[in-house]
Amino acid sequence: MSPRDTDARALRTRARLREALLAECAERPLGEISVAAVVRRAEVGRATFYLHYADVPDLALDTCAGVAREAVEALHAWRGAPDPAAPPAPLTEFFRTVAAHDDLYRALLAPGGAGPLGEALHRELRPRSLAERTLAGGHSPELIASAVSAAFAGVLADWLHGLVTGSPDELAGRVWRLLITLHRHPAAP
């Protein structure tokens, strides 16, 4: 971690740039947003922008990086035996948050789950799923972990691109049941 990553002023500047990007995304698609628009809204100089980011897509990826961690935490926000009829509240809230900035996430997540956000989701979700499956003593933990990661990223992406329908609340319930089914699958050798 570089000093720039922990410097309070740099952290505040990056937060302002991320907030400015989200505000811009509420008004137009990501592909139409310029560095000039972001720095104007964030009230920082162009040179400051380039100290932190290479371009608008780089800022967008940083803005969405937390979404992968939020997804993992939302999917694992339950204790005891999971109830298929009741997804964890953080999972529903996660889908609501994504829906509020769907243009941004859609730009970073291609149908099927490819793209920089899909890669981030895989990096965050697969190891957590693998650890839980291994701890539970389930068969084929690596297979199930890959399936959970791919299914979640793929369904999220396809929902953002209109290939899967439903409200955030409906999708949370459907995804929850799907992932429980994957985790319960014996996948015996």
Side-chain angles (χ1 to χ4, degrees), residues 41-148:
R41 191 176 289 259
E43 298 179 346
V44 301
R46 197 173 182 91
T48 300
F49 177 93
Y50 288 113
L51 282 174
H52 299 282
Y53 301 104
D55 51 24
V56 172
D58 187 33
L59 169 59
L61 186 56
D62 183 46
T63 302
C64 291
V67 79
R69 285 182 297 281
E70 291 168 17
V72 170
E73 292 308 314
L75 286 170
H76 296 90
W78 55 273
R79 297 289 169 246
D83 179 359
L91 182 60
T92 302
E93 186 55 36
F94 168 79
F95 281 108
R96 290 176 184 160
T97 300
V98 168
H101 300 290
D102 59 349
D103 283 336
L104 177 59
Y105 296 120
R106 192 179 304 113
L108 297 171
L109 191 60
L117 183 53
E119 292 169 16
L121 285 166
H122 182 75
R123 273 193 311 272
E124 294 285 334
L125 185 52
R126 188 180 185 283
R128 180 80 173 262
S129 182
L130 178 62
E132 287 189 5
R133 180 82 176 174
T134 301
L135 185 63
H139 291 287
S140 306
E142 67 287 339
L143 176 71
I144 300 303
S146 291
V148 165

Side-chain angles (χ1 to χ4, degrees), residues 16-37:
R16 287 175 65 186
L17 289 166
R18 289 189 300 265
E19 289 169 14
L21 178 66
L22 289 173
E24 287 293 318
C25 283
E27 298 174 5
R28 66 186 56 80
L30 180 64
E32 295 177 13
I33 297 173
S34 66
V35 170

